[in-house]
Amino acid sequence: MIEMVLCDLCKKRKAVIKIRYAGLDFCKECLSKFVEQKVMLSLKRIGILNKLSGKYLVIALSGGKDSTNATYIMHKLSQEYDFKMKAVFVDEGIGEYSRQRRAIVMDLCRKLGIEYRIVTMKEEVGISTPEAVSILVKSRSSIKPCSVCGVFRRYLLNKVALDENADYVVTGHNLDDEVQTFIMSLIRGDIRSIAREAYSSGCEDDVPELVSRIKPLYLVYERESLVYFITHGFKRTSLSCPYARFSMRYAIREMINDLEYRRPGMKYRILALKERLGKSIREKVLSNIEIRHCKICGMPSSRDVCRACELKEFLVKLSQNYKGIYTK
Ligand code: SF4
Ligand code: ZN
Ligand code: ZN
């Protein structure tokens, strides 16, 4: 007979998750409070909670578990802290995967009564992610799909936020994402990214015209986010992005999960290191960066041509061999 494990906090309800780094089992309700308290803590840590009144937030909603949770929690807070928000869905054009995600986003926004805006990569950038991948594969480029798709998604999100005159951009990055990004920056020797990501949020504050970011799930483990999502009964798609497994992030994610399994709390320790290291080099590294405007699109950039336009030009050059997949 399987014994029912009770929640260590309320001691009444059935546990749905074991939080290994704390040695505690939580029921659905206590996990929910735990996650929402972490969100409050991460907003307080960066001194943003009391500044939200009257502000306009654009939230990147992909239809995945993290951005769904972030949207749901921020929507609850919007009533108490009196701010407005709009969801933005970037459609990468990845067939059924993008179609299902788009439907989930529209459904969630209608249920919560949140305004939303949909932008498609094909219309805005001139190419969808599968078309970009096709060009990269045919030209035997070593650039991975997520490197292209991620750059265009960030670019479009910032563009929409500027267009909407938003005060903040909210993203669903969780603690695991932050740790993975840090390790990837270390591997690449990307000091600038480590300096920029020193704080849990507002990492673009030092760059005029880039809208400051808020990451409500910054202190929430991916596993906690997943169980929060499932126990709240949010709609999900069974499809994963077909390109995700080619990214370096995927391999790093496996490695860090293994480390966390052997040493519970490891992710927290890496996150603390990320902040300490970032803060110690931030001033020196970022003071040398001059922010200009991209010669092509006019968006703020530390280079003459921003990364998105550079990628677009690169794909156009490659696609000239492949009869006009690229339309802009
Ligand atoms: Fe784009 Fe990579 Fe995300 Fe797929 S997993 S949607 S390719 S960034
Ligand atoms: Zn409980
Ligand atoms: Zn540009």
Side-chain angles (χ1 to χ4, degrees):
M1 197 178 78
I2 300 169
E3 206 184 318
M4 186 174 89
V5 178
L6 280 183
C7 172
D8 283 312
L9 288 189
C10 65
K11 313 235 183 265
K12 287 189 303 217
R13 291 178 291 259
K14 185 182 155 206
V16 293
I17 184 171
K18 179 164 206 68
I19 310 284
R20 290 183 73 238
Y21 58 82
L24 297 171
D25 294 297
F26 286 172
C27 69
K28 177 192 161 189
E29 285 78 2
C30 292
L31 172 74
S32 192
K33 275 190 211 143
F34 182 62
V35 167
E36 289 170 21
Q37 278 165 1
K38 281 190 175 193
V39 170
M40 296 295 275
L41 180 62
S42 62
L43 297 178
K44 278 184 192 156
R45 267 176 109 218
I46 49 165
I48 238 161
L49 196 58
N50 293 323
K51 290 189 197 157
L52 289 176
S53 176
K55 294 285 193 291
Y56 180 39
L57 278 58
V58 155
I59 183 156
L61 179 56
S62 69
K65 66 181 187 319
D66 300 309
S67 63
T68 297
N69 291 342
T71 303
Y72 174 73
I73 297 171
M74 290 307 284
H75 174 62
K76 281 213 290 192
L77 290 178
S78 71
Q79 287 142 11
E80 194 179 336
Y81 288 88
D82 185 34
F83 59 87
K84 286 202 167 60
M85 54 192 274
K86 182 183 268 190
V88 176
F89 175 73
V90 176
D91 188 332
E92 311 90 351
I94 309 176
E96 192 51 27
Y97 168 78
S98 294
R99 274 193 292 279
Q100 287 194 12
R101 293 263 178 150
R102 179 195 274 244
I104 286 171
V105 163
M106 288 163 66
D107 187 54
L108 181 72
C109 289
R110 281 187 201 125
K111 277 190 185 135
L112 295 178
I114 299 175
E115 274 186 59
Y116 62 88
R117 179 167 163 183
I118 292 174
V119 288
T120 67
M121 221 180 254
K122 176 80 180 171
E123 275 170 27
E124 299 289 331
V125 186
I127 193 164
S128 67
T129 296
E131 287 171 345
V133 173
S134 164
I135 293 172
L136 294 172
V137 169
K138 283 176 184 164
S139 57
R140 300 185 181 205
S141 167
S142 60
I143 297 176
K144 301 285 181 258
C146 294
S147 305
V148 177
C149 184
V151 166
F152 289 152
R153 278 165 50 135
R154 279 193 297 279
Y155 175 80
L156 288 178
L157 190 59
N158 197 51
K159 201 168 167 223
V160 170
L162 289 173
D163 185 49
E164 290 277 339
N165 226 352
D167 297 296
Y168 296 103
V169 170
V170 182
T171 65
H173 292 102
N174 60 38
L175 185 144
D176 291 48
D177 296 324
E178 295 298 311
V179 169
Q180 291 155 16
T181 301
F182 174 61
I183 303 288
M184 281 160 64
S185 302
L186 282 178
I187 291 171
R188 288 198 204 106
D190 189 348
I191 298 288
R192 208 182 267 192
S193 159
I194 294 172
R196 270 213 188 108
E197 300 282 334
Y199 295 98
S200 56
S201 184
C203 58
E204 319 286 12
D205 271 348
D206 46 317
V207 183
E209 295 179 60
L210 279 185
V211 184
S212 293
R213 292 193 177 221
I214 300 179
K215 300 171 184 172
L217 305 185
Y218 182 82
L219 297 173
V220 179
Y221 270 52
E222 182 175 13
R223 217 172 129 258
E224 295 159 5
S225 180
L226 175 65
V227 179
Y228 183 98
F229 178 83
I230 293 170
T231 53
H232 277 74
F234 292 124
K235 230 185 197 174
R236 59 199 295 208
T237 161
S238 52
L239 298 176
S240 314
C241 175
Y243 306 119
R245 68 196 167 90
F246 299 111
S247 69
M248 200 214 288
R249 184 178 289 277
Y250 186 82
I252 287 173
R253 179 173 178 258
E254 303 281 293
M255 184 190 82
I256 297 170
N257 281 342
D258 185 48
L259 279 175
E260 176 72 24
Y261 183 75
R262 291 161 195 261
R263 292 264 196 283
M266 177 65 81
K267 291 176 188 173
Y268 264 138
R269 292 194 281 280
I270 300 176
L271 191 78
L273 170 67
K274 176 205 101 143
E275 292 188 0
R276 274 210 304 280
L277 185 60
K279 282 172 195 168
S280 69
I281 60 169
R282 187 174 165 88
E283 212 183 306
K284 196 166 173 213
V285 173
L286 296 185
S287 62
N288 297 331
I289 298 175
E290 191 198 333
I291 296 300
R292 293 164 263 192
H293 285 94
C294 169
K295 281 196 300 205
I296 300 173
C297 70
M299 291 278 277
S301 168
S302 57
R303 301 181 295 184
D304 284 344
V305 175
C306 75
R307 182 82 183 114
C309 289
E310 189 182 71
L311 258 180
K312 281 198 277 184
E313 286 195 330
F314 176 71
L315 289 168
V316 168
K317 268 191 205 137
L318 291 180
S319 76
Q320 279 158 0
N321 302 326
Y322 307 120
K323 290 189 194 149
I325 285 175
Y326 208 99
T327 56
K328 259 189 190 174

